[in-house]
Amino acid sequence: MGLSLVSTVLALATVVASVALISVKLAHRIMLKGRGVRSAHYIAALGEMISRKLLPADIPRRWAADPLFHDAVIEYRHLLSGEEREFVDHLIAEVGIVGVLQRRARWRWPRPVRLRAIAALVELAGSDQVPFLRFLLGDHNDYVRSHAAHGLARLGDVSSIPLILDLATRVRPWEAARLADALAAFDRRAVKPINEWILKHWDGDGSHVETIAQAARVLGLLGETSAETTLIEMLESDRLGWKVAAASALGRIASDTSRGALLKALHDDSWEVRARAVRALASLADGSVAPAIAELLSDSQWWVRQNAAESLGELPGGVAELQRALSSEDRFAADAARNQLAELRMLPAGTETTLAVGSREGSS
Amino acid sequence: MADDAAPVRVLLSRHLRAAGHEVIEVADGMAALRAGSEAGLDLAVIDQLMPGMLGTEIIAAWREDGLEFPVFVLTAIDDDDTVVHSFELGAADYIRKPVNMAELTARINGRLRDK
């Protein structure tokens, strides 16, 4: 009797669970279908308006509140240039999308709504939204802050650069790196304010050290020679993080002015600096530095030897240095050269290849 | 007209139809490949990054099959290697997004007039 009751209850529970699962799946499918239909409707309607450059007076106000409509507008805005892009911007203003997004980006809205709104706002905001985006730099949410920085970069508001760098000094490294990435989205007009910010905080307290290194990375990404003086000073400083960032940045800028400082950095006490400097010198494409780089094939650290071999493979006259190193008494140098020549398919026939691993100091 | 982004298909096909052309729209690489082989195209506009196949792979397959109609590559990819590779495969033009649709339509019209 008891066993039969348990079986009946289990069977009923299974039926109820199955019906509930099917209902949820059905509801989800209907919802997705509804979203797909709505999205296609917006894309078709916007296509009609844009191709005719005609904005109907009776656009439903609810469109301005629908994230799917925002997505469609963003897609068109990314796609178009010229008059049609201007029409999309006119449509954004007329429909009042930015006002809706600004309201939703405020803290009182649920997190998913806020995050979606800020992501759309960054894409659609005009220069009149600069004060609001600056306000969002002070938000409690790191996603909102870094998106606000990207929005300011998209709008090219260079006067926000010191604010973004100041913010980077107060946040965790991950967010500081994202803020630096936002700075890289500015064009070369960002070089001067970044440079000035670095010099202003050069002798400051330790809280700016990491951000200055990030700023140096951005200067390299922007590739502007006017930043070289600052970067060379950083390379010659006694802070490891600055030296590493500056060597990499100078490699990206790849100007002859930095040759002397980079050659000097080949003899730095830190292998991290030597490893970056040797790659940076390769980007100058100047064969006269090949002999100095070849000396690093005998470096105590595998990473430096590897980078030296790679650089020689790229420099004019570098292959001759690699071939010379094949007969070196230093097995580490010979191995690094042999592996690089094999990579370049320039290894003399019958030469044995080996994997140059490990360190003379046993700690690479 | 092959692009997985619906706005591109909607807007460009509107411009082309308004200019008097018949347009076949597809949204993925395999459909584009089939359309090129079966539909007797005068010209194709294809995206480089689509589900299924890359634009350059599609051009290579068409050329291998002896299909020589002009192909315009329309893409957001701003990579010199892809541009060079597209032209090496025989692309007629390479247009980067964002794009001026009126200008693109004029280029297509010009190319079809020259045929």
Side-chain angles (χ1 to χ4, degrees), chain A residues 297 305-306 308-310 312 318-328 330-344 346-348 351 353-354 356:
Chain A
L297 290 172
R305 296 196 297 275
Q306 172 69 19
E310 260 184 58
L312 289 171
V319 170
E321 293 288 347
L322 288 170
Q323 286 166 339
R324 235 188 316 276
L326 283 178
S327 54
S328 170
D330 182 337
R331 287 288 306 275
F332 282 101
D335 283 351
R338 188 177 296 113
N339 289 337
Q340 189 59 34
L341 287 168
E343 182 84 19
L344 297 169
M346 297 177 84
L347 196 62
T351 313
T353 58
T354 57

PDB file of all heavy atoms in Angstrom, chain A residues 297 305-306 308-310 312 318-328 330-344 346-348 351 353-354 356:
ATOM      1  N   LEU A 297      72.885  36.702 -27.537  1.00  0.00           N
ATOM      2  CA  LEU A 297      72.658  35.261 -27.760  1.00  0.00           C
ATOM      3  C   LEU A 297      73.322  34.460 -26.638  1.00  0.00           C
ATOM      4  O   LEU A 297      72.994  33.299 -26.421  1.00  0.00           O
ATOM      5  CB  LEU A 297      73.241  34.835 -29.113  1.00  0.00           C
ATOM      6  CG  LEU A 297      72.502  35.350 -30.357  1.00  0.00           C
ATOM      7  CD1 LEU A 297      73.291  35.013 -31.613  1.00  0.00           C
ATOM      8  CD2 LEU A 297      71.094  34.758 -30.439  1.00  0.00           C
ATOM      9  N   ARG A 305      67.835  35.421 -24.832  1.00  0.00           N
ATOM     10  CA  ARG A 305      68.504  34.765 -25.974  1.00  0.00           C
ATOM     11  C   ARG A 305      67.508  34.547 -27.116  1.00  0.00           C
ATOM     12  O   ARG A 305      67.798  34.792 -28.273  1.00  0.00           O
ATOM     13  CB  ARG A 305      69.092  33.406 -25.539  1.00  0.00           C
ATOM     14  CG  ARG A 305      70.183  33.503 -24.505  1.00  0.00           C
ATOM     15  CD  ARG A 305      70.960  32.204 -24.427  1.00  0.00           C
ATOM     16  NE  ARG A 305      70.174  31.052 -24.011  1.00  0.00           N
ATOM     17  CZ  ARG A 305      69.927  30.698 -22.759  1.00  0.00           C
ATOM     18  NH1 ARG A 305      70.403  31.440 -21.766  1.00  0.00           N
ATOM     19  NH2 ARG A 305      69.217  29.618 -22.474  1.00  0.00           N
ATOM     20  N   GLN A 306      66.305  34.073 -26.742  1.00  0.00           N
ATOM     21  CA  GLN A 306      65.262  33.815 -27.731  1.00  0.00           C
ATOM     22  C   GLN A 306      64.883  35.098 -28.480  1.00  0.00           C
ATOM     23  O   GLN A 306      64.798  35.119 -29.709  1.00  0.00           O
ATOM     24  CB  GLN A 306      64.035  33.237 -27.001  1.00  0.00           C
ATOM     25  CG  GLN A 306      62.798  33.071 -27.827  1.00  0.00           C
ATOM     26  CD  GLN A 306      62.923  31.976 -28.868  1.00  0.00           C
ATOM     27  OE1 GLN A 306      63.795  31.110 -28.764  1.00  0.00           O
ATOM     28  NE2 GLN A 306      62.091  32.047 -29.897  1.00  0.00           N
ATOM     29  N   ALA A 308      66.696  37.799 -28.753  1.00  0.00           N
ATOM     30  CA  ALA A 308      67.841  38.265 -29.554  1.00  0.00           C
ATOM     31  C   ALA A 308      67.881  37.511 -30.879  1.00  0.00           C
ATOM     32  O   ALA A 308      68.078  38.109 -31.949  1.00  0.00           O
ATOM     33  CB  ALA A 308      69.133  38.044 -28.767  1.00  0.00           C
ATOM     34  N   ALA A 309      67.664  36.184 -30.829  1.00  0.00           N
ATOM     35  CA  ALA A 309      67.681  35.382 -32.057  1.00  0.00           C
ATOM     36  C   ALA A 309      66.555  35.819 -33.000  1.00  0.00           C
ATOM     37  O   ALA A 309      66.763  35.989 -34.206  1.00  0.00           O
ATOM     38  CB  ALA A 309      67.549  33.901 -31.699  1.00  0.00           C
ATOM     39  N   GLU A 310      65.364  36.043 -32.432  1.00  0.00           N
ATOM     40  CA  GLU A 310      64.220  36.484 -33.260  1.00  0.00           C
ATOM     41  C   GLU A 310      64.520  37.825 -33.912  1.00  0.00           C
ATOM     42  O   GLU A 310      64.236  38.028 -35.093  1.00  0.00           O
ATOM     43  CB  GLU A 310      62.990  36.652 -32.364  1.00  0.00           C
ATOM     44  CG  GLU A 310      62.028  35.471 -32.436  1.00  0.00           C
ATOM     45  CD  GLU A 310      60.790  35.742 -31.601  1.00  0.00           C
ATOM     46  OE1 GLU A 310      60.092  36.742 -31.852  1.00  0.00           O
ATOM     47  OE2 GLU A 310      60.570  34.950 -30.697  1.00  0.00           O
ATOM     48  N   LEU A 312      67.446  39.134 -34.596  1.00  0.00           N
ATOM     49  CA  LEU A 312      68.450  38.981 -35.648  1.00  0.00           C
ATOM     50  C   LEU A 312      67.820  38.413 -36.918  1.00  0.00           C
ATOM     51  O   LEU A 312      68.225  38.758 -38.027  1.00  0.00           O
ATOM     52  CB  LEU A 312      69.594  38.078 -35.163  1.00  0.00           C
ATOM     53  CG  LEU A 312      70.505  38.719 -34.105  1.00  0.00           C
ATOM     54  CD1 LEU A 312      71.473  37.689 -33.522  1.00  0.00           C
ATOM     55  CD2 LEU A 312      71.277  39.897 -34.690  1.00  0.00           C
ATOM     56  N   GLY A 318      71.337  40.406 -39.849  1.00  0.00           N
ATOM     57  CA  GLY A 318      71.136  39.594 -38.653  1.00  0.00           C
ATOM     58  C   GLY A 318      71.366  38.110 -38.897  1.00  0.00           C
ATOM     59  O   GLY A 318      71.900  37.399 -38.030  1.00  0.00           O
ATOM     60  N   VAL A 319      71.010  37.644 -40.093  1.00  0.00           N
ATOM     61  CA  VAL A 319      71.177  36.215 -40.391  1.00  0.00           C
ATOM     62  C   VAL A 319      72.652  35.848 -40.380  1.00  0.00           C
ATOM     63  O   VAL A 319      73.045  34.774 -39.907  1.00  0.00           O
ATOM     64  CB  VAL A 319      70.507  35.873 -41.745  1.00  0.00           C
ATOM     65  CG1 VAL A 319      70.873  34.471 -42.199  1.00  0.00           C
ATOM     66  CG2 VAL A 319      68.988  36.001 -41.620  1.00  0.00           C
ATOM     67  N   ALA A 320      73.495  36.778 -40.873  1.00  0.00           N
ATOM     68  CA  ALA A 320      74.946  36.517 -40.865  1.00  0.00           C
ATOM     69  C   ALA A 320      75.434  36.349 -39.425  1.00  0.00           C
ATOM     70  O   ALA A 320      76.269  35.477 -39.132  1.00  0.00           O
ATOM     71  CB  ALA A 320      75.680  37.663 -41.545  1.00  0.00           C
ATOM     72  N   GLU A 321      74.883  37.147 -38.509  1.00  0.00           N
ATOM     73  CA  GLU A 321      75.259  37.028 -37.087  1.00  0.00           C
ATOM     74  C   GLU A 321      74.804  35.674 -36.534  1.00  0.00           C
ATOM     75  O   GLU A 321      75.528  35.030 -35.766  1.00  0.00           O
ATOM     76  CB  GLU A 321      74.634  38.161 -36.265  1.00  0.00           C
ATOM     77  CG  GLU A 321      75.151  39.549 -36.574  1.00  0.00           C
ATOM     78  CD  GLU A 321      76.581  39.773 -36.075  1.00  0.00           C
ATOM     79  OE1 GLU A 321      77.075  38.945 -35.276  1.00  0.00           O
ATOM     80  OE2 GLU A 321      77.203  40.760 -36.512  1.00  0.00           O
ATOM     81  N   LEU A 322      73.606  35.246 -36.924  1.00  0.00           N
ATOM     82  CA  LEU A 322      73.099  33.942 -36.457  1.00  0.00           C
ATOM     83  C   LEU A 322      73.991  32.813 -36.986  1.00  0.00           C
ATOM     84  O   LEU A 322      74.320  31.870 -36.254  1.00  0.00           O
ATOM     85  CB  LEU A 322      71.651  33.733 -36.928  1.00  0.00           C
ATOM     86  CG  LEU A 322      70.571  34.570 -36.241  1.00  0.00           C
ATOM     87  CD1 LEU A 322      69.238  34.448 -36.975  1.00  0.00           C
ATOM     88  CD2 LEU A 322      70.387  34.142 -34.782  1.00  0.00           C
ATOM     89  N   GLN A 323      74.384  32.926 -38.268  1.00  0.00           N
ATOM     90  CA  GLN A 323      75.236  31.873 -38.853  1.00  0.00           C
ATOM     91  C   GLN A 323      76.594  31.837 -38.164  1.00  0.00           C
ATOM     92  O   GLN A 323      77.162  30.771 -37.933  1.00  0.00           O
ATOM     93  CB  GLN A 323      75.384  32.104 -40.360  1.00  0.00           C
ATOM     94  CG  GLN A 323      74.097  31.723 -41.109  1.00  0.00           C
ATOM     95  CD  GLN A 323      74.048  32.216 -42.526  1.00  0.00           C
ATOM     96  OE1 GLN A 323      74.761  33.155 -42.884  1.00  0.00           O
ATOM     97  NE2 GLN A 323      73.183  31.608 -43.329  1.00  0.00           N
ATOM     98  N   ARG A 324      77.104  33.043 -37.805  1.00  0.00           N
ATOM     99  CA  ARG A 324      78.379  33.105 -37.089  1.00  0.00           C
ATOM    100  C   ARG A 324      78.255  32.432 -35.723  1.00  0.00           C
ATOM    101  O   ARG A 324      79.151  31.729 -35.284  1.00  0.00           O
ATOM    102  CB  ARG A 324      78.803  34.571 -36.908  1.00  0.00           C
ATOM    103  CG  ARG A 324      80.195  34.844 -37.468  1.00  0.00           C
ATOM    104  CD  ARG A 324      80.711  36.232 -37.125  1.00  0.00           C
ATOM    105  NE  ARG A 324      79.771  37.308 -37.284  1.00  0.00           N
ATOM    106  CZ  ARG A 324      79.528  37.920 -38.441  1.00  0.00           C
ATOM    107  NH1 ARG A 324      80.132  37.536 -39.542  1.00  0.00           N
ATOM    108  NH2 ARG A 324      78.673  38.911 -38.503  1.00  0.00           N
ATOM    109  N   ALA A 325      77.107  32.635 -35.091  1.00  0.00           N
ATOM    110  CA  ALA A 325      76.906  32.088 -33.738  1.00  0.00           C
ATOM    111  C   ALA A 325      76.798  30.564 -33.729  1.00  0.00           C
ATOM    112  O   ALA A 325      76.968  29.930 -32.677  1.00  0.00           O
ATOM    113  CB  ALA A 325      75.649  32.705 -33.121  1.00  0.00           C
ATOM    114  N   LEU A 326      76.527  29.975 -34.905  1.00  0.00           N
ATOM    115  CA  LEU A 326      76.422  28.506 -34.967  1.00  0.00           C
ATOM    116  C   LEU A 326      77.708  27.826 -34.501  1.00  0.00           C
ATOM    117  O   LEU A 326      77.698  26.742 -33.924  1.00  0.00           O
ATOM    118  CB  LEU A 326      76.124  28.056 -36.407  1.00  0.00           C
ATOM    119  CG  LEU A 326      74.690  28.220 -36.910  1.00  0.00           C
ATOM    120  CD1 LEU A 326      74.603  27.782 -38.360  1.00  0.00           C
ATOM    121  CD2 LEU A 326      73.728  27.402 -36.067  1.00  0.00           C
ATOM    122  N   SER A 327      78.835  28.490 -34.780  1.00  0.00           N
ATOM    123  CA  SER A 327      80.114  27.883 -34.403  1.00  0.00           C
ATOM    124  C   SER A 327      80.628  28.411 -33.061  1.00  0.00           C
ATOM    125  O   SER A 327      81.789  28.220 -32.712  1.00  0.00           O
ATOM    126  CB  SER A 327      81.146  28.130 -35.510  1.00  0.00           C
ATOM    127  OG  SER A 327      81.209  29.518 -35.773  1.00  0.00           O
ATOM    128  N   SER A 328      79.750  29.097 -32.327  1.00  0.00           N
ATOM    129  CA  SER A 328      80.165  29.656 -31.036  1.00  0.00           C
ATOM    130  C   SER A 328      80.492  28.537 -30.039  1.00  0.00           C
ATOM    131  O   SER A 328      79.868  27.471 -30.052  1.00  0.00           O
ATOM    132  CB  SER A 328      79.032  30.525 -30.485  1.00  0.00           C
ATOM    133  OG  SER A 328      79.312  30.883 -29.159  1.00  0.00           O
ATOM    134  N   ASP A 330      79.916  28.896 -27.034  1.00  0.00           N
ATOM    135  CA  ASP A 330      78.806  28.989 -26.087  1.00  0.00           C
ATOM    136  C   ASP A 330      77.630  28.171 -26.643  1.00  0.00           C
ATOM    137  O   ASP A 330      77.004  28.553 -27.628  1.00  0.00           O
ATOM    138  CB  ASP A 330      78.423  30.467 -25.928  1.00  0.00           C
ATOM    139  CG  ASP A 330      77.305  30.664 -24.911  1.00  0.00           C
ATOM    140  OD1 ASP A 330      76.544  29.698 -24.674  1.00  0.00           O
ATOM    141  OD2 ASP A 330      77.199  31.764 -24.359  1.00  0.00           O
ATOM    142  N   ARG A 331      77.331  27.031 -26.030  1.00  0.00           N
ATOM    143  CA  ARG A 331      76.293  26.137 -26.546  1.00  0.00           C
ATOM    144  C   ARG A 331      74.913  26.808 -26.547  1.00  0.00           C
ATOM    145  O   ARG A 331      74.092  26.565 -27.416  1.00  0.00           O
ATOM    146  CB  ARG A 331      76.229  24.853 -25.703  1.00  0.00           C
ATOM    147  CG  ARG A 331      77.375  23.912 -25.936  1.00  0.00           C
ATOM    148  CD  ARG A 331      77.268  23.240 -27.313  1.00  0.00           C
ATOM    149  NE  ARG A 331      75.994  22.588 -27.511  1.00  0.00           N
ATOM    150  CZ  ARG A 331      75.702  21.346 -27.106  1.00  0.00           C
ATOM    151  NH1 ARG A 331      76.604  20.631 -26.475  1.00  0.00           N
ATOM    152  NH2 ARG A 331      74.521  20.820 -27.346  1.00  0.00           N
ATOM    153  N   PHE A 332      74.674  27.672 -25.532  1.00  0.00           N
ATOM    154  CA  PHE A 332      73.384  28.357 -25.460  1.00  0.00           C
ATOM    155  C   PHE A 332      73.206  29.284 -26.660  1.00  0.00           C
ATOM    156  O   PHE A 332      72.145  29.327 -27.281  1.00  0.00           O
ATOM    157  CB  PHE A 332      73.268  29.158 -24.158  1.00  0.00           C
ATOM    158  CG  PHE A 332      72.945  28.299 -22.973  1.00  0.00           C
ATOM    159  CD1 PHE A 332      73.924  27.918 -22.081  1.00  0.00           C
ATOM    160  CD2 PHE A 332      71.636  27.881 -22.748  1.00  0.00           C
ATOM    161  CE1 PHE A 332      73.625  27.128 -20.988  1.00  0.00           C
ATOM    162  CE2 PHE A 332      71.325  27.089 -21.658  1.00  0.00           C
ATOM    163  CZ  PHE A 332      72.328  26.705 -20.767  1.00  0.00           C
ATOM    164  N   ALA A 333      74.267  30.039 -26.988  1.00  0.00           N
ATOM    165  CA  ALA A 333      74.208  30.954 -28.136  1.00  0.00           C
ATOM    166  C   ALA A 333      74.021  30.165 -29.428  1.00  0.00           C
ATOM    167  O   ALA A 333      73.196  30.528 -30.278  1.00  0.00           O
ATOM    168  CB  ALA A 333      75.481  31.785 -28.191  1.00  0.00           C
ATOM    169  N   ALA A 334      74.777  29.069 -29.569  1.00  0.00           N
ATOM    170  CA  ALA A 334      74.684  28.255 -30.791  1.00  0.00           C
ATOM    171  C   ALA A 334      73.284  27.664 -30.940  1.00  0.00           C
ATOM    172  O   ALA A 334      72.717  27.643 -32.036  1.00  0.00           O
ATOM    173  CB  ALA A 334      75.747  27.153 -30.753  1.00  0.00           C
ATOM    174  N   ASP A 335      72.706  27.211 -29.821  1.00  0.00           N
ATOM    175  CA  ASP A 335      71.361  26.621 -29.870  1.00  0.00           C
ATOM    176  C   ASP A 335      70.324  27.660 -30.284  1.00  0.00           C
ATOM    177  O   ASP A 335      69.455  27.386 -31.119  1.00  0.00           O
ATOM    178  CB  ASP A 335      70.973  26.060 -28.501  1.00  0.00           C
ATOM    179  CG  ASP A 335      71.649  24.726 -28.230  1.00  0.00           C
ATOM    180  OD1 ASP A 335      72.262  24.187 -29.178  1.00  0.00           O
ATOM    181  OD2 ASP A 335      71.566  24.237 -27.091  1.00  0.00           O
ATOM    182  N   ALA A 336      70.418  28.855 -29.677  1.00  0.00           N
ATOM    183  CA  ALA A 336      69.439  29.904 -30.005  1.00  0.00           C
ATOM    184  C   ALA A 336      69.525  30.259 -31.476  1.00  0.00           C
ATOM    185  O   ALA A 336      68.503  30.396 -32.165  1.00  0.00           O
ATOM    186  CB  ALA A 336      69.695  31.142 -29.136  1.00  0.00           C
ATOM    187  N   ALA A 337      70.761  30.382 -31.996  1.00  0.00           N
ATOM    188  CA  ALA A 337      70.953  30.722 -33.412  1.00  0.00           C
ATOM    189  C   ALA A 337      70.439  29.601 -34.307  1.00  0.00           C
ATOM    190  O   ALA A 337      69.751  29.855 -35.304  1.00  0.00           O
ATOM    191  CB  ALA A 337      72.430  30.978 -33.677  1.00  0.00           C
ATOM    192  N   ARG A 338      70.732  28.379 -33.938  1.00  0.00           N
ATOM    193  CA  ARG A 338      70.330  27.223 -34.755  1.00  0.00           C
ATOM    194  C   ARG A 338      68.803  27.133 -34.844  1.00  0.00           C
ATOM    195  O   ARG A 338      68.247  26.957 -35.928  1.00  0.00           O
ATOM    196  CB  ARG A 338      70.900  25.934 -34.130  1.00  0.00           C
ATOM    197  CG  ARG A 338      70.701  24.698 -35.000  1.00  0.00           C
ATOM    198  CD  ARG A 338      71.349  23.469 -34.386  1.00  0.00           C
ATOM    199  NE  ARG A 338      72.790  23.594 -34.305  1.00  0.00           N
ATOM    200  CZ  ARG A 338      73.483  23.679 -33.177  1.00  0.00           C
ATOM    201  NH1 ARG A 338      72.864  23.643 -32.010  1.00  0.00           N
ATOM    202  NH2 ARG A 338      74.780  23.784 -33.203  1.00  0.00           N
ATOM    203  N   ASN A 339      68.145  27.299 -33.714  1.00  0.00           N
ATOM    204  CA  ASN A 339      66.679  27.207 -33.724  1.00  0.00           C
ATOM    205  C   ASN A 339      66.044  28.324 -34.554  1.00  0.00           C
ATOM    206  O   ASN A 339      65.060  28.106 -35.255  1.00  0.00           O
ATOM    207  CB  ASN A 339      66.126  27.251 -32.296  1.00  0.00           C
ATOM    208  CG  ASN A 339      66.431  25.965 -31.555  1.00  0.00           C
ATOM    209  OD1 ASN A 339      66.654  24.926 -32.187  1.00  0.00           O
ATOM    210  ND2 ASN A 339      66.483  26.028 -30.245  1.00  0.00           N
ATOM    211  N   GLN A 340      66.635  29.518 -34.453  1.00  0.00           N
ATOM    212  CA  GLN A 340      66.064  30.623 -35.229  1.00  0.00           C
ATOM    213  C   GLN A 340      66.280  30.405 -36.726  1.00  0.00           C
ATOM    214  O   GLN A 340      65.388  30.647 -37.542  1.00  0.00           O
ATOM    215  CB  GLN A 340      66.687  31.957 -34.781  1.00  0.00           C
ATOM    216  CG  GLN A 340      66.010  33.188 -35.383  1.00  0.00           C
ATOM    217  CD  GLN A 340      64.524  33.262 -35.041  1.00  0.00           C
ATOM    218  OE1 GLN A 340      64.109  32.859 -33.954  1.00  0.00           O
ATOM    219  NE2 GLN A 340      63.727  33.754 -35.980  1.00  0.00           N
ATOM    220  N   LEU A 341      67.486  29.937 -37.085  1.00  0.00           N
ATOM    221  CA  LEU A 341      67.751  29.670 -38.506  1.00  0.00           C
ATOM    222  C   LEU A 341      66.830  28.563 -39.025  1.00  0.00           C
ATOM    223  O   LEU A 341      66.370  28.612 -40.168  1.00  0.00           O
ATOM    224  CB  LEU A 341      69.226  29.289 -38.708  1.00  0.00           C
ATOM    225  CG  LEU A 341      70.204  30.469 -38.581  1.00  0.00           C
ATOM    226  CD1 LEU A 341      71.645  29.970 -38.498  1.00  0.00           C
ATOM    227  CD2 LEU A 341      70.045  31.425 -39.764  1.00  0.00           C
ATOM    228  N   ALA A 342      66.556  27.572 -38.167  1.00  0.00           N
ATOM    229  CA  ALA A 342      65.621  26.508 -38.571  1.00  0.00           C
ATOM    230  C   ALA A 342      64.235  27.096 -38.804  1.00  0.00           C
ATOM    231  O   ALA A 342      63.548  26.762 -39.771  1.00  0.00           O
ATOM    232  CB  ALA A 342      65.572  25.422 -37.500  1.00  0.00           C
ATOM    233  N   GLU A 343      63.832  28.010 -37.927  1.00  0.00           N
ATOM    234  CA  GLU A 343      62.533  28.677 -38.065  1.00  0.00           C
ATOM    235  C   GLU A 343      62.452  29.445 -39.391  1.00  0.00           C
ATOM    236  O   GLU A 343      61.415  29.472 -40.051  1.00  0.00           O
ATOM    237  CB  GLU A 343      62.380  29.649 -36.877  1.00  0.00           C
ATOM    238  CG  GLU A 343      61.093  30.408 -36.812  1.00  0.00           C
ATOM    239  CD  GLU A 343      59.981  29.614 -36.148  1.00  0.00           C
ATOM    240  OE1 GLU A 343      60.305  28.650 -35.434  1.00  0.00           O
ATOM    241  OE2 GLU A 343      58.810  29.965 -36.396  1.00  0.00           O
ATOM    242  N   LEU A 344      63.589  30.035 -39.765  1.00  0.00           N
ATOM    243  CA  LEU A 344      63.645  30.813 -41.007  1.00  0.00           C
ATOM    244  C   LEU A 344      63.901  29.920 -42.225  1.00  0.00           C
ATOM    245  O   LEU A 344      63.984  30.409 -43.348  1.00  0.00           O
ATOM    246  CB  LEU A 344      64.774  31.863 -40.925  1.00  0.00           C
ATOM    247  CG  LEU A 344      64.630  32.943 -39.860  1.00  0.00           C
ATOM    248  CD1 LEU A 344      65.933  33.735 -39.719  1.00  0.00           C
ATOM    249  CD2 LEU A 344      63.483  33.881 -40.208  1.00  0.00           C
ATOM    250  N   MET A 346      66.666  28.502 -42.926  1.00  0.00           N
ATOM    251  CA  MET A 346      67.961  28.911 -43.473  1.00  0.00           C
ATOM    252  C   MET A 346      69.103  28.146 -42.800  1.00  0.00           C
ATOM    253  O   MET A 346      70.249  28.580 -42.835  1.00  0.00           O
ATOM    254  CB  MET A 346      68.155  30.418 -43.269  1.00  0.00           C
ATOM    255  CG  MET A 346      67.124  31.242 -44.007  1.00  0.00           C
ATOM    256  SD  MET A 346      67.290  32.995 -43.707  1.00  0.00           S
ATOM    257  CE  MET A 346      68.533  33.406 -44.894  1.00  0.00           C
ATOM    258  N   LEU A 347      68.751  27.044 -42.177  1.00  0.00           N
ATOM    259  CA  LEU A 347      69.767  26.250 -41.478  1.00  0.00           C
ATOM    260  C   LEU A 347      70.561  25.455 -42.515  1.00  0.00           C
ATOM    261  O   LEU A 347      69.967  24.802 -43.377  1.00  0.00           O
ATOM    262  CB  LEU A 347      69.065  25.309 -40.503  1.00  0.00           C
ATOM    263  CG  LEU A 347      69.920  24.662 -39.426  1.00  0.00           C
ATOM    264  CD1 LEU A 347      70.527  25.718 -38.520  1.00  0.00           C
ATOM    265  CD2 LEU A 347      69.066  23.705 -38.594  1.00  0.00           C
ATOM    266  N   PRO A 348      71.905  25.515 -42.450  1.00  0.00           N
ATOM    267  CA  PRO A 348      72.703  24.724 -43.408  1.00  0.00           C
ATOM    268  C   PRO A 348      72.328  23.249 -43.325  1.00  0.00           C
ATOM    269  O   PRO A 348      72.058  22.738 -42.240  1.00  0.00           O
ATOM    270  CB  PRO A 348      74.138  24.959 -42.940  1.00  0.00           C
ATOM    271  CG  PRO A 348      74.107  26.217 -42.165  1.00  0.00           C
ATOM    272  CD  PRO A 348      72.753  26.294 -41.544  1.00  0.00           C
ATOM    273  N   THR A 351      72.646  20.250 -40.405  1.00  0.00           N
ATOM    274  CA  THR A 351      72.881  20.797 -39.065  1.00  0.00           C
ATOM    275  C   THR A 351      71.788  20.304 -38.130  1.00  0.00           C
ATOM    276  O   THR A 351      70.611  20.381 -38.449  1.00  0.00           O
ATOM    277  CB  THR A 351      72.853  22.341 -39.093  1.00  0.00           C
ATOM    278  OG1 THR A 351      73.646  22.774 -40.165  1.00  0.00           O
ATOM    279  CG2 THR A 351      73.352  22.909 -37.789  1.00  0.00           C
ATOM    280  N   THR A 353      69.181  20.261 -35.127  1.00  0.00           N
ATOM    281  CA  THR A 353      68.453  21.283 -34.355  1.00  0.00           C
ATOM    282  C   THR A 353      68.228  20.775 -32.938  1.00  0.00           C
ATOM    283  O   THR A 353      68.049  19.595 -32.706  1.00  0.00           O
ATOM    284  CB  THR A 353      67.083  21.596 -34.975  1.00  0.00           C
ATOM    285  OG1 THR A 353      66.334  20.406 -35.034  1.00  0.00           O
ATOM    286  CG2 THR A 353      67.222  22.206 -36.332  1.00  0.00           C
ATOM    287  N   THR A 354      68.255  21.692 -32.015  1.00  0.00           N
ATOM    288  CA  THR A 354      67.965  21.339 -30.617  1.00  0.00           C
ATOM    289  C   THR A 354      67.024  22.377 -30.062  1.00  0.00           C
ATOM    290  O   THR A 354      66.867  23.456 -30.625  1.00  0.00           O
ATOM    291  CB  THR A 354      69.244  21.362 -29.750  1.00  0.00           C
ATOM    292  OG1 THR A 354      69.803  22.662 -29.860  1.00  0.00           O
ATOM    293  CG2 THR A 354      70.235  20.312 -30.182  1.00  0.00           C
ATOM    294  N   ALA A 356      66.556  25.025 -27.403  1.00  0.00           N
ATOM    295  CA  ALA A 356      67.376  25.746 -26.425  1.00  0.00           C
ATOM    296  C   ALA A 356      66.530  26.158 -25.240  1.00  0.00           C
ATOM    297  O   ALA A 356      65.884  27.185 -25.262  1.00  0.00           O
ATOM    298  CB  ALA A 356      67.992  26.978 -27.071  1.00  0.00           C
TER     299      ALA A 356
END
